[in-house]
Amino acid sequence: MPDHLFGRSTKGALPVAVRGEGCYLIDAAGKRYFDGSGGAAVSCLGHSDAGVRAALHDQLDRLAFAHTGFFTSEPAEALADRLIAHAPPGIDRVYLVSGGSEAVEAALKLARQYFMEIGQPQRHRVIARRQSYHGNTLGALAAGGNAWRRAQFAPLLVETSHIAPCYEYRDRAPGETVEAYGLRVADELEAEINRLGPETVMAFIAEPVVGATAGAVPAVPGYFRRIREICDQHGILLILDEVMCGMGRTGHLFACEEDGVAPDLITIAKGLGAGYQPIGALLTSGRIYDAVAAGSGFFQHGHTYMGHPMAAAAANAVLEAIVARGLLARVREQGARLQAALEAEQGQHPHIGDIRGRGLFRGVELVADRETKAPFDPALKLHARVKALAFEAGLICYPMGGTIDGQRGDHILLAPPFIIEDAQIDELVSKLSGAIRGALAA
């Protein structure tokens, strides 16, 4: 059979997925795989949700596409209203796109245009954090702080400052309280603002719970409240990237609710469409929207498929399911069960350094030495071994390397569907533990 698809890798052949059934994907040979990572924290409702499928069939019979240069649509309007009804205080408008990278690009460009509209054109600098990930398009990649992802594209990236992440497991000093640690790393933002010149900085961007790059690392209490204070003090916009951790993944529709802060802009995607359609969104404050409305009246940006009626219909059905079926409470309950099961199975393992996260967003960090937290030699590619062995056993998980600095460290990210049953938690933990054992023994 000819093969003309340019996939993610030119090496090896992938199985062909032909069917989804709840938390499982099934390949052409009939093998079943438990989706322990939701793909990439996408499939929050599993792979065969009847309500979402019905909404898509209904929308297809009505209207598939209408370009937003000429029309709005009922699903897009309804989705915006639904999101704002649950959004943090001050967030008032929704800009619909097709994915996470597009949402981050839109956030960066809107932040820049906002300062142009209010007469502060000197503000253009972005500050982010090391070991962050904000997407693969050039603006989003420049904002991200993962050295490995950035390296070969560095000449194409706009200059961005990167401060320390909030990574308690590795960076809190002996004897330092959690609160003092949070304030210390948050204050790096103020130091960097002063170094650059406060009048030149437009935005700080961060993930409330760091996803793929570091493995479900939540901020410590008080960290984001201090970040919010610093941004307000210097007139800087706070962008929270909830592409991976938002839309219920942590047990709150918006992850920043748990941190007690409201940003100026929020990016979402992944769980918003639950994999049934490609969709993302930028949510922005009324203040930013009003500045554009009172000025040029036009956001100088756009994509052909933004506000796509089919995608918006899917997202409406996904949000309806999350809210009406009480899935946020379920995420918190099943997340606690998953954490407990991981700790019972792996908590004293000599090569498991940390088990962390919120809700059904969990990370397991592998270490060569539990006492010193020393990582394994990157040449071993331990994360890749775990991924391959788990997949062979019928478990999809999301291991990554470079956890510490883009080069050293290994972790496994878990983000199963919100509908996961207790027995499936046991299946996930058992298969993951087997894969870890096999990878360490190789």
Side-chain angles (χ1 to χ4, degrees):
M1 178 180 175
D3 184 1
H4 299 292
L5 181 66
F6 197 148
R8 287 175 175 258
S9 172
T10 60
K11 299 175 182 177
L14 297 175
V16 178
V18 297
R19 190 159 60 91
E21 186 181 286
C23 294
Y24 296 87
L25 285 166
I26 302 159
D27 71 16
K31 182 175 178 179
R32 295 167 66 86
Y33 304 81
F34 183 80
D35 193 356
S37 61
V42 174
S43 299
C44 58
L45 298 182
H47 298 279
S48 56
D49 190 89
V52 182
R53 287 159 53 206
L56 283 167
H57 282 292
D58 181 65
Q59 185 59 41
L60 184 59
D61 289 339
R62 296 169 184 268
L63 173 71
F65 174 70
H67 195 282
T68 52
F70 304 96
F71 296 97
T72 186
S73 70
E74 290 178 358
E77 296 285 347
L79 177 58
D81 290 346
R82 191 186 295 269
L83 285 167
I84 293 305
H86 296 282
I91 298 295
D92 190 57
R93 295 284 172 163
V94 178
Y95 188 87
L96 295 173
V97 292
S98 296
S101 294
E102 283 188 18
V104 172
E105 293 284 334
L108 296 171
K109 291 177 75 173
L110 183 57
R112 170 61 179 163
Q113 184 168 333
Y114 167 73
F115 284 113
M116 294 292 289
E117 300 278 7
I118 65 170
Q120 297 183 33
Q122 72 279 10
R123 289 191 184 263
H124 66 282
R125 297 187 185 278
V126 175
I127 302 173
R129 301 189 297 184
R130 297 188 295 276
Q131 287 308 95
S132 59
Y133 178 62
H134 299 296
N136 259 333
T137 50
L138 290 176
L141 189 62
N146 182 265
W148 172 76
R149 294 178 190 267
R150 292 167 53 92
Q152 69 174 320
F153 304 107
L156 305 178
L157 304 180
V158 66
E159 181 183 352
T160 305
S161 296
H162 293 96
I163 62 172
C166 189
Y167 187 2
E168 182 191 1
Y169 170 66
R170 290 208 168 267
D171 295 340
R172 181 160 67 94
E176 187 176 32
T177 66
V178 170
E179 293 75 13
Y181 165 68
L183 294 176
R184 173 169 64 82
V185 288
D187 282 341
E188 283 198 24
L189 174 59
E190 183 151 50
E192 184 62 11
I193 290 168
N194 289 328
R195 186 186 75 82
L196 295 171
E199 71 285 353
T200 71
V201 180
M202 73 176 189
F204 175 68
I205 182 169
E207 302 160 272
V209 183
V210 180
T213 301
V217 178
V220 300
Y223 171 83
F224 273 111
R225 286 193 293 274
R226 176 59 181 146
I227 290 290
R228 178 75 269 184
E229 289 176 0
I230 294 167
C231 289
D232 288 343
Q233 179 183 344
H234 295 285
I236 291 163
L237 298 178
L238 175 59
I239 304 171
L240 291 184
D241 178 352
E242 298 202 1
V243 166
M244 189 171 260
C245 65
M247 296 294 98
R249 177 54 60 188
T250 66
H252 300 271
L253 201 60
F254 292 92
C256 60
E257 292 176 32
E258 192 162 340
D259 296 290
V261 296
D264 302 293
L265 304 107
I266 312 174
T267 59
I268 56 175
K270 296 190 185 291
L272 176 62
Y276 290 89
Q277 287 281 288
I279 190 167
L282 165 63
L283 281 68
T284 186
S285 68
R287 172 170 63 103
I288 294 174
Y289 177 86
D290 291 345
V292 175
S296 67
F298 174 71
F299 179 25
Q300 194 175 329
H301 188 55
H303 295 278
T304 298
Y305 286 109
M306 60 183 286
H308 195 284
M310 292 289 291
N316 266 308
V318 169
L319 288 175
E320 172 69 19
I322 291 172
V323 175
R325 298 182 202 169
L327 291 182
L328 293 175
R330 182 178 178 81
V331 167
R332 294 192 291 271
E333 293 164 6
Q334 295 301 81
R337 286 194 177 96
L338 176 57
Q339 180 75 15
L342 288 167
E343 289 176 353
E345 178 74 16
Q346 303 171 351
Q348 300 305 312
H349 193 292
H351 297 299
I352 303 294
D354 194 27
I355 302 171
R356 55 183 175 247
R358 295 178 182 172
L360 285 171
F361 199 43
R362 299 285 162 176
V364 177
E365 185 165 340
L366 304 169
V367 292
D369 187 304
R370 187 181 170 93
E371 294 302 315
T372 66
K373 304 181 183 179
F376 283 94
D377 182 349
L380 295 174
K381 295 189 180 299
L382 186 62
H383 60 282
R385 290 186 195 172
V386 172
K387 181 178 181 180
L389 289 171
F391 197 67
E392 184 180 322
L395 171 65
I396 301 167
C397 58
Y398 197 153
M400 286 286 292
T403 311
I404 301 168
D405 55 12
Q407 301 294 327
R408 301 173 302 134
D410 300 271
H411 70 264
I412 303 149
L413 184 66
L414 301 171
F418 300 171
I419 59 173
I420 188 172
E421 302 286 348
D422 291 0
Q424 293 169 335
I425 289 176
D426 294 339
E427 178 185 356
L428 189 167
V429 173
S430 175
K431 288 182 175 178
L432 178 62
S433 297
I436 292 171
R437 282 195 302 272
L440 290 169

